[in-house]
């Protein structure tokens, strides 16, 4: 059995004090939003407690699907690298960027350079991050896709373009030939009507076409801060698409409180079994507890 944990959207705080020059960009809108809406809801103490509980569950690997920071300030990116280091060895932690990590032009490249040990293929042939990347752990293929790109103010769209689609298709085929359980990680949800228009994934239909033609066993994403379980078509049956709430979301907000997902994966090609265990803060009980447990319908064609 391979135990894969999934967290997303920690939006690490506290937010450093930005300079006036740094605010003379799209960042001014995010700064106001943080001060008004997020400062007291997304908290470090909530995140710390969640990670402590996650560590007691002893996963074999941890997937982090983006939005590590808020405004992609240089100090935020540096602090996020320290946080990633605290989660574990890069061999056991895989990350991808989110739209907040690419908040303004060039910030995504700065983040990718800093966080490269956590978002690079096993061969590490390149000194820069390249997407999609592929990591293989036991009989599990972890495939990181990048949907993050700097956008106009008040927009949080993601992008999945032709070059990544071609590369992802090739990786999925190679991993299928090797009889691996293929986990695709992307920040933005690839399902229809999964989020608001200004937060959507541009190229989602292209992503769905890749999965329909080449298959996958599981797709993980973040971005919406929701606990959703959807599906998109694969070659012969539906592929599960699972989102997890923000890892720093406190109680009392409009979104579900912080949690992580644990996927217990076993079997082999044609006979996969995957149990999903959701742990986090419940609205009805104090502390972190098991919220839900279910068996996912994994493609076994």
């Amino acid at each position: 059995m391979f135990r894969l944990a999934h967290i997303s959207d920690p939006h690490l705080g506290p937010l450093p004090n930005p300079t006036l020059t740094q605010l003379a960009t799209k960042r001014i809108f995010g700064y106001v939003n943080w001060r008004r809406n997020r400062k007291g809801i997304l908290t470090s103490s909530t995140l710390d407690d969640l990670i402590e509980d996650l560590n007691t569950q002893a996963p074999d690997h941890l997937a982090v699907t983006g939005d590590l920071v808020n405004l992609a300030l240089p100090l935020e990116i540096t602090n996020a690298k320290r946080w990633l280091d605290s989660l574990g060895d890069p061999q056991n932690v895989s990350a991808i960027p989110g739209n907040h990590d690419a908040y303004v032009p060039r910030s995504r490249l700065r983040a990718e350079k800093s966080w490269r040990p956590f978002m690079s293929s096993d061969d590490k042939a390149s000194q820069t991050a390249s997407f999609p990347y592929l990591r293989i752990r036991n009989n599990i293929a972890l495939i990181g896709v990048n949907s993050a790109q700097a956008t106009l103010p008040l927009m949080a769209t993601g992008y999945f373009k032709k070059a990544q689609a071609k590369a992802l298709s090739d990786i999925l085929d190679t991993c299928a030939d090797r009889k691996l359980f293929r986990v695709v990680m992307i920040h933005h949800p690839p399902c229809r009507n999964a989020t608001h228009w200004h937060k959507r994934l541009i190229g989602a239909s292209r992503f769905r076409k890749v999965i329909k033609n080449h298959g996958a066993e599981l797709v993980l994403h973040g971005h919406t801060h929701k606990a959703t379980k959807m599906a998109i078509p694969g070659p012969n049956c539906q592929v599960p698409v699972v989102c997890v709430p923000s890892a720093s979301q406190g109680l009392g907000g409009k979104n579900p409180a912080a949690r992580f997902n644990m996927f217990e994966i076993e079997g082999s090609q044609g006979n996969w079994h995957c149990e999903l265990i959701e742990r986090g803060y419940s609205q009805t009980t104090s502390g972190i507890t098991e919220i839900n447990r279910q068996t996912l319908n994994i493609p076994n064609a």
Side-chain angles (χ1 to χ4, degrees):
M1 179 185 293
F2 188 88
R3 305 181 79 239
L4 173 65
H6 174 212
I7 61 174
S8 196
D9 300 82
H11 293 281
L12 296 167
L15 186 69
N17 290 321
T19 65
L20 291 177
T21 301
Q22 290 170 335
L23 287 179
T25 61
K26 173 186 174 179
R27 285 189 176 115
I28 185 63
F29 299 97
Y31 181 73
V32 171
N33 182 46
W34 171 265
R35 299 288 299 185
R36 287 183 175 179
N37 302 317
R38 290 189 167 186
K39 183 178 179 181
I41 296 296
L42 304 178
T43 66
S44 298
S45 60
T46 299
L47 175 63
D48 291 344
D49 290 346
L50 189 78
I51 296 301
E52 182 178 358
D53 186 82
L54 188 155
N55 288 334
T56 66
Q57 304 302 310
D60 296 300
H61 202 87
L62 172 61
V64 186
T65 53
D67 276 4
L68 277 66
V69 300
N70 299 284
L71 308 183
L73 296 165
L75 184 55
E76 282 190 287
I77 291 172
T78 299
N79 290 339
K81 172 59 164 58
R82 296 193 186 100
W83 180 75
L84 285 169
D85 287 334
S86 75
L87 296 179
D89 189 281
Q91 290 297 309
N92 302 321
V93 180
S94 296
I96 56 171
N99 55 289
H100 278 264
D101 307 320
Y103 209 73
V104 295
R106 296 184 295 279
S107 63
R108 193 198 80 203
L109 296 179
R110 189 179 297 114
E112 289 173 1
K113 181 179 179 180
S114 177
W115 308 339
R116 190 183 70 83
F118 299 90
M119 50 176 65
S120 58
S121 295
D122 289 329
D123 55 26
K124 296 183 179 178
S126 173
Q127 293 303 306
T128 58
S130 178
F131 298 93
Y133 67 75
L134 170 64
R135 295 176 155 197
I136 298 174
R137 303 292 182 267
N138 297 344
N139 60 347
I140 310 297
L142 299 156
I143 304 165
V145 172
N146 175 31
S147 63
Q149 183 173 312
T151 62
L152 294 173
L154 306 180
M155 298 292 287
T157 45
Y159 295 82
F160 183 71
K161 300 181 180 180
K162 291 181 179 179
Q164 270 203 97
K166 175 62 169 64
L168 178 59
S169 300
D170 293 342
I171 288 175
L172 291 170
D173 287 346
T174 297
C175 292
D177 291 341
R178 297 180 62 175
K179 306 183 186 306
L180 302 175
F181 186 103
R182 298 162 295 175
V183 181
V184 181
M185 302 172 291
I186 185 169
H187 180 68
H188 292 78
C191 301
R192 295 180 186 273
N193 303 316
T195 189
H196 298 292
W197 178 87
H198 69 286
K199 297 182 178 181
R200 74 195 189 281
L201 175 63
I202 298 174
S205 60
R206 182 179 292 124
F207 181 92
R208 293 193 297 269
K209 183 178 180 181
V210 169
I211 300 301
K212 181 174 177 60
N213 291 339
H214 302 273
E217 281 61 56
L218 180 62
V219 177
L220 305 179
H221 73 88
H223 190 53
T224 67
H225 296 201
K226 304 290 187 181
T228 55
K229 302 167 193 70
M230 302 182 187
I232 56 177
N236 301 295
C237 52
Q238 297 289 299
V239 175
V241 178
V242 182
C243 182
V244 67
S246 164
S248 59
Q249 178 73 44
L251 291 167
K254 65 179 181 179
N255 291 319
R259 70 178 72 172
F260 65 88
N261 288 340
M262 185 77 73
F263 300 89
E264 295 185 340
I265 305 165
E266 57 186 340
S268 58
Q269 191 178 64
N271 190 34
W272 294 115
H273 179 85
C274 182
E275 189 84 355
L276 166 60
I277 304 165
E278 300 173 71
R279 287 188 62 84
Y281 293 90
S282 168
Q283 301 290 69
T284 59
T285 59
S286 61
I288 298 173
T289 185
E290 183 174 312
I291 297 171
N292 180 54
R293 180 184 293 253
Q294 69 183 87
T295 300
L296 298 181
N297 292 321
I298 301 300
N300 278 308

